[in-house]
């Protein structure tokens, strides 16, 4: 039987991740290969298991679909800056 890997109970963090990270993370955890095409997301399993306390992304940019003049950016483990 394969080893069962668990995320530590009660673990919390403030590391920003995105849904684009799901495919690379789940592929890594399942031992599967990523598709041959370019993937924007990154493997975030180290964040989930508490081995990484800063973002695996070089930077993240968010926008509000309701109000296009609202933006936020984050780099590493920095706090988001709004309206940039």
């Amino acid at each position: 039987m394969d080893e069962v890997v668990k995320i530590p109970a009660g673990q919390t963090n403030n590391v920003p991740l995105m849904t684009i990270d799901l495919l690379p993370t789940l592929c890594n955890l399942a031992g599967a290969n990523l598709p041959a095409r370019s993937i924007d997301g990154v493997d975030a399993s180290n964040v989930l298991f508490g081995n990484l306390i800063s973002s695996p992304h070089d930077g993240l940019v968010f926008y509000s679909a309701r109000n296009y003049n609202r933006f936020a950016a984050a780099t590493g483990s920095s706090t988001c800056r709004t309206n940039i």
Side-chain angles (χ1 to χ4, degrees):
M1 177 179 259
D2 292 335
E3 177 184 352
V4 175
V5 181
K6 296 182 179 181
I7 297 172
Q11 173 181 303
T12 61
N13 66 52
N14 293 324
V15 178
L17 298 175
M18 300 181 77
T19 55
I20 61 173
D21 300 327
L22 286 175
L23 178 63
T25 302
L26 294 175
C27 282
N28 177 53
L29 295 174
N33 293 322
L34 286 171
R37 64 182 183 278
S38 178
I39 302 293
D40 290 333
V42 297
D43 175 16
S45 58
N46 282 326
V47 175
L48 297 177
F49 296 121
N51 299 326
L52 186 64
I53 58 171
S54 62
S55 177
H57 292 278
D58 292 333
L60 298 171
V61 177
F62 305 90
Y63 70 93
S64 170
R66 291 183 181 175
N67 188 348
Y68 288 106
N69 66 351
R70 298 285 186 188
F71 293 88
T75 57
S77 60
S78 69
T79 304
C80 288
R81 295 170 287 165
T82 58
N83 295 329
I84 60 171

